[in-house]
Amino acid sequence: MMFDASQVYQPAEDTFLLIRAALAEVKPKDSVIEIGTGSGAVAGAVQKVAPKTLGVDINPHAVLHAREVNGVDAIRSDLFSAVSGRFDLILFNAPYLPTLPEERIDDWLEYALDGGVSGRDVIERFLPEAVLHLADGGRILLLISSLTGLSETISLCEACGCSAEVCAEEEVEDAEMLYVLRIVPASVL
Ligand SMILES: C[S@@+](CC[C@H](N)C(=O)[O-])C[C@H]1O[C@@H](n2cnc3c(N)ncnc32)[C@H](O)[C@@H]1O
């Protein structure tokens, strides 16, 4: 199958913020998974430090783009459904925009942006699965926007037995803030 780059989320401010946060966090021996790898830009940067890096995306065009353009070991999976094992570092630039049903567009890019009505639909599914795939001492970096709801997302982390703090942030257009949450099981605090 050929991939269609117009159906793949291309690197933007959120991508670059997550790359910076991930490079500040990752250690060479970490096993890393990036859920929603998209173009593979984040996993591609991280694997230069931590060679055991896997990219995952639900979008088949993204999987091929990540492999062929960024040299990422990438597989197709709905979140962790096709993934086994535990990871030291889990990364996710989630689809975080609140989206009404009538705003949906029927293409693969929709998966990059559509966070459901609250903006947190995919995050609500991701967090409990991610916790089960964390190795001892593992951490999660989750990128969200102020539109997603910072306190609401932190509450979701706490409901999964984790603590979450902002480890990177940046203002983008129209006073929207991007945040990277560093999430760890509360028991390791
Ligand atoms: C905001 S884009 C981020 C892409 C890339 N990581 C970056 O930072 O540029 C979100 C990505 O998550 C993927 N995605 C959305 N829902 C997913 C799911 N349930 N399982 C796996 N990937 C998913 C989308 O296809 C998209 O590539």
Side-chain angles (χ1 to χ4, degrees), residues 67-150:
R67 281 184 196 155
E68 293 177 20
V69 177
N70 281 304
V72 172
D73 180 14
I75 60 167
R76 189 170 180 211
S77 177
D78 177 2
L79 299 178
F80 291 90
S81 62
V83 174
S84 58
R86 292 175 180 263
F87 299 87
D88 301 303
L89 183 60
I90 298 175
L91 307 171
F92 193 19
N93 177 3
Y96 53 67
L97 291 180
T99 309
L100 294 171
E102 58 269 29
E103 293 173 321
R104 287 194 185 129
I105 303 161
D106 186 20
D107 69 6
W108 286 110
L109 266 188
E110 187 66 28
Y111 284 93
L113 307 171
D114 184 347
V117 173
S118 70
R120 296 183 295 277
D121 282 9
V122 181
I123 293 167
E124 282 181 27
R125 289 177 51 223
F126 162 78
L127 284 169
E129 292 186 32
V131 169
L132 294 176
H133 284 84
L134 270 185
D136 285 350
R139 323 61 99 197
I140 300 166
L141 296 184
L142 173 66
L143 190 142
I144 62 164
S145 149
S146 45
L147 302 174
T148 321
L150 179 59

